[in-house]
Amino acid sequence: MHPARLWLGLLLPAAAALDFRYHHQEGMEAYLKSVAQNYSSFTQLHSIGKSVRGRNLWVLVVGRFPREHKVGIPEFKYVANMHGDETVGRELLLHLIDYLVTKHGRDPEITNLINSTRIHIMPSMNPDGFEAVKKPDCYYSNGRENFNQYDLNRNFPDAFEYNNVSRQPETLAIMKWLKTETFVLSANLHGGALVASYPFDNGAQATGALFSRSLTPDDDVFQHLAHTYASRNPNMTKGDQCKNKMNFPNGITNGYSWYPLQGGMQDYNYIWGQCFEITLELSCCKYPREEKLPYFWNDNKASLIEYIKQAHLGIKGQVFDQSGNRLPNVIVEVQDRKHICPFRTNIFGEYYLLLLPGSYTINVTAPGHDSQLTKVVIPERSQTFGALKKDFHLPFQVQLDSLQLVNPLCPMVPLYKTIPGHSPITKPSLFLFLVTLLHIFFK
Ligand SMILES: *[C@@H]1O[C@H](CO)[C@@H](O)[C@H](O)[C@H]1NC(C)=O
Ligand SMILES: *[C@@H]1O[C@H](CO)[C@@H](O)[C@H](O)[C@H]1NC(C)=O
Ligand SMILES: *[C@@H]1O[C@H](CO)[C@@H](O)[C@H](O)[C@H]1NC(C)=O
Ligand SMILES: *[C@@H]1O[C@H](CO)[C@@H](O)[C@H](O)[C@H]1NC(C)=O
Ligand SMILES: *[C@@H]1O[C@H](CO)[C@@H](O)[C@H](O)[C@H]1NC(C)=O
Ligand SMILES: [Zn+2]
């Protein structure tokens, strides 16, 4: 070999660029293992469970401390391909991984992001469904459901009505995962439309269902999150690029306004996981030909990165008692922004509240003690990748045993049914009727 050739070869990055084609389970596993091996100092690969057919549900974690949670570092996640026939998100997340690991240490923005955020990436929640689809098809196909024919985005406990379906292994794996990490922000990647859809997907009178919408107490934050994603995607932001006649102003919508559904994953994340999740519909065509993949990556790259940064919105910190013990299971909420299942500190006494800049009163309540109210001002965001940091030191001592005794979990029953004045709601019907009749489900 010519010496110049050899020298050039050494300069080229070791990683071969990921190609733009569909990766089946085997190819995806090989790629993820190779990433975890080549970038072991800031990535970790693990499986959170298995599909019905025994395929691993892989998650690649990227972060300064990929193997464990560190106080102050928010946990973020992306989950794709929960409908096996909606395939764009699956490949986009592999390309996102490629982008993050190859830019780390070279691009200051990405280096900062990885240094300050623990990013969990699950390219496929429904690998059996993906393998069941024979060939690219823009419309519904049998791979939407898991191997037992359950739609996984109808398979979670629901806060508005009983959802007594049989919980599937893929769903149970996600539910368990949400208990092991204190996720603060997430997105769930779908296809068949082009829109960023935010909670709730189901509703009651108390959340606005009489007005054909169902809003959370954090609606301003959710609109900001959906807008952050949609506004950076040139086709999504137009709101009317798919030929299914829907027009979404600015490319965002409340899930319930679009069409209500029961047992969805985003509502579950928010209510029982304390994790803000939105649903991203990334392609008019559910399973486009692979020649299109480079265009999708190009249209979504900036959105995917900017959305992760939103894990640093608002305020975070720890709660201690008079003796300096950090207190788990303490309720930390914003006044007038109460969650139906109150947000509580994790085992490190930490809380994270995603909030837009402004003035708020934080209400900290340890079991058996009076609430402590504190006014805070969250400034306009700086570029430091950090939420406002505020620890609370309670003026009394807490019996730590008493904190273990309270059961912090809200029961997984329709919590909104307990709100006074609640009555059953007739769901907005014409579109829902058409959706059911024509089998044109997206989310
Ligand atoms: C990992 O490193 C090997 C050896 O340099 C290389 O062949 C492979 O393409 C790399 N894989 C990734 C995903 O970077
Ligand atoms: C990562 O973050 C830590 C703590 O904020 C900081 O001390 C360190 O300089 C950062 N490293 C890089 C490479 O940005
Ligand atoms: C669902 O399960 C709950 C609790 O077990 C029960 O009270 C309710 O009647 C069931 N609903 C239906 C429609 O089966
Ligand atoms: C975005 O829209 C343009 C113009 O309609 C189209 O050419 C392009 O393929 C679209 N991009 C994607 C990823 O669909
Ligand atoms: C503070 O939170 C506790 C626990 O959720 C609640 O009981 C109390 O009413 C709240 N106080 C105020 C002033 O909002
Ligand atoms: Zn879907």
Side-chain angles (χ1 to χ4, degrees):
M1 194 191 281
H2 193 276
R5 268 264 222 42
L6 181 65
W7 185 75
L8 256 178
L10 289 175
L11 271 186
L12 290 174
L18 182 69
D19 46 1
F20 283 99
R21 59 179 181 82
Y22 286 111
H23 294 79
H24 285 262
Q25 184 77 2
E26 216 174 292
M28 185 175 79
E29 276 182 16
Y31 173 70
L32 293 173
K33 283 179 179 164
S34 166
V35 168
Q37 194 165 30
N38 291 10
Y39 304 95
S40 59
S41 67
F42 63 98
T43 66
Q44 185 224 356
L45 180 65
H46 67 122
S47 162
I48 63 156
K50 284 186 195 295
S51 69
V52 173
R53 297 299 305 276
R55 294 188 171 97
N56 275 310
L57 303 172
W58 292 112
V59 174
L60 187 91
V61 188
V62 186
R64 179 155 161 243
F65 306 101
R67 286 164 191 82
E68 59 186 336
H69 175 72
K70 291 281 181 186
V71 169
I73 297 187
E75 305 284 337
F76 174 93
K77 68 183 161 73
Y78 275 134
V79 174
N81 199 216
M82 98 187 279
H83 292 139
D85 61 341
E86 297 167 5
T87 57
V88 170
R90 176 182 173 115
E91 295 305 320
L92 288 188
L93 290 190
L94 293 178
H95 281 275
L96 176 66
I97 289 169
D98 180 64
Y99 188 76
L100 292 175
V101 299
T102 56
K103 291 278 188 259
H104 178 258
R106 299 175 185 203
D107 174 328
E109 183 196 32
I110 298 301
T111 309
N112 265 331
L113 188 63
I114 293 173
N115 194 36
S116 57
T117 326
R118 190 152 166 254
I119 306 163
H120 304 247
I121 301 175
M122 178 187 256
S124 181
M125 178 180 161
N126 182 5
D128 296 350
F130 178 77
E131 298 301 334
V133 189
K134 288 289 166 278
K135 60 173 182 13
D137 185 341
C138 286
Y139 302 100
Y140 167 86
S141 63
N142 62 334
R144 175 184 177 89
E145 291 87 11
N146 77 343
F147 187 76
N148 292 338
Q149 295 303 308
Y150 281 89
D151 185 331
L152 299 176
N153 209 24
R154 307 289 184 274
N155 202 239
F156 286 84
D158 190 285
F160 300 92
E161 52 192 327
Y162 279 104
N163 186 20
N164 292 0
V165 295
S166 137
R167 299 263 182 266
Q168 295 302 295
E170 295 88 353
T171 311
L172 292 169
I174 297 273
M175 290 170 67
K176 195 171 129 214
W177 187 33
L178 279 172
K179 280 195 198 132
T180 61
E181 304 287 353
T182 35
F183 289 112
V184 304
L185 181 63
S186 171
N188 170 15
L189 280 53
H190 290 249
L194 211 48
V195 67
S197 169
Y198 55 87
F200 291 114
D201 266 332
N202 206 350
Q205 194 172 328
T207 59
L210 287 179
F211 306 98
S212 298
R213 58 176 195 225
S214 180
L215 306 183
T216 69
D218 296 302
D219 195 56
D220 53 348
V221 181
F222 273 115
Q223 288 206 32
H224 165 83
L225 291 170
H227 196 257
T228 296
Y229 197 93
S231 63
R232 284 167 182 81
N233 179 316
N235 288 357
M236 188 183 287
T237 195
K238 288 180 194 148
D240 61 353
Q241 295 296 290
C242 297
K243 292 185 189 76
N244 51 17
K245 302 274 194 317
M246 289 299 290
N247 188 358
F248 302 108
N250 301 315
I252 74 174
T253 185
N254 171 240
Y256 188 91
S257 304
W258 183 15
Y259 64 93
L261 62 86
Q262 182 191 43
M265 184 158 75
Q266 71 175 12
D267 289 5
Y268 179 82
N269 266 265
Y270 177 67
I271 289 168
W272 284 290
Q274 304 193 176
C275 174
F276 286 46
E277 179 169 288
I278 67 171
T279 300
L280 298 168
E281 302 283 347
L282 297 176
S283 56
C284 303
C285 176
K286 289 188 181 222
Y287 194 160
R289 287 180 297 120
E290 55 192 5
E291 298 86 83
K292 303 266 191 203
L293 291 174
Y295 301 100
F296 284 109
W297 170 242
N298 206 37
D299 279 8
N300 286 283
K301 184 168 84 176
S303 297
L304 287 166
I305 298 293
E306 198 61 29
Y307 187 77
I308 302 174
K309 292 186 197 165
Q310 308 308 309
H312 299 281
L313 280 179
I315 184 168
K316 68 182 179 189
Q318 283 174 294
V319 181
F320 302 94
D321 71 2
Q322 205 173 31
S323 320
N325 297 309
R326 47 195 194 184
L327 305 178
N329 293 336
V330 169
I331 297 177
V332 181
E333 296 255 88
V334 175
Q335 210 180 1
D336 306 323
R337 205 175 266 254
K338 282 175 124 171
H339 299 106
I340 187 108
C341 178
F343 281 25
R344 291 174 183 265
T345 51
N346 65 12
I347 54 167
F348 306 104
E350 278 180 290
Y351 74 93
Y352 293 84
L353 294 172
L354 299 190
L355 296 165
L356 301 183
S359 303
Y360 301 92
T361 301
I362 310 281
N363 174 357
V364 179
T365 312
H369 293 271
D370 288 342
S371 300
Q372 305 286 310
L373 300 179
T374 309
K375 284 201 161 58
V376 298
V377 176
I378 296 174
E380 293 293 328
R381 280 184 77 205
S382 54
Q383 288 306 305
T384 55
F385 289 101
L388 178 67
K389 194 166 177 312
K390 173 125 189 84
D391 291 341
F392 294 101
H393 298 270
L394 301 181
F396 44 75
Q397 191 157 349
V398 174
Q399 210 60 43
L400 289 184
D401 300 351
S402 73
L403 293 178
Q404 313 306 331
L405 285 177
V406 291
N407 181 1
L409 288 178
C410 285
M412 288 180 198
V413 299
L415 298 169
Y416 275 97
K417 280 213 197 295
T418 63
I419 289 194
H422 167 76
S423 60
I425 292 292
T426 323
K427 294 179 177 178
S429 54
L430 180 62
F431 185 64
L432 188 63
F433 174 72
L434 288 173
V435 158
T436 315
L437 187 73
L438 303 174
H439 218 100
I440 48 170
F441 291 114
F442 320 98
K443 61 184 185 181

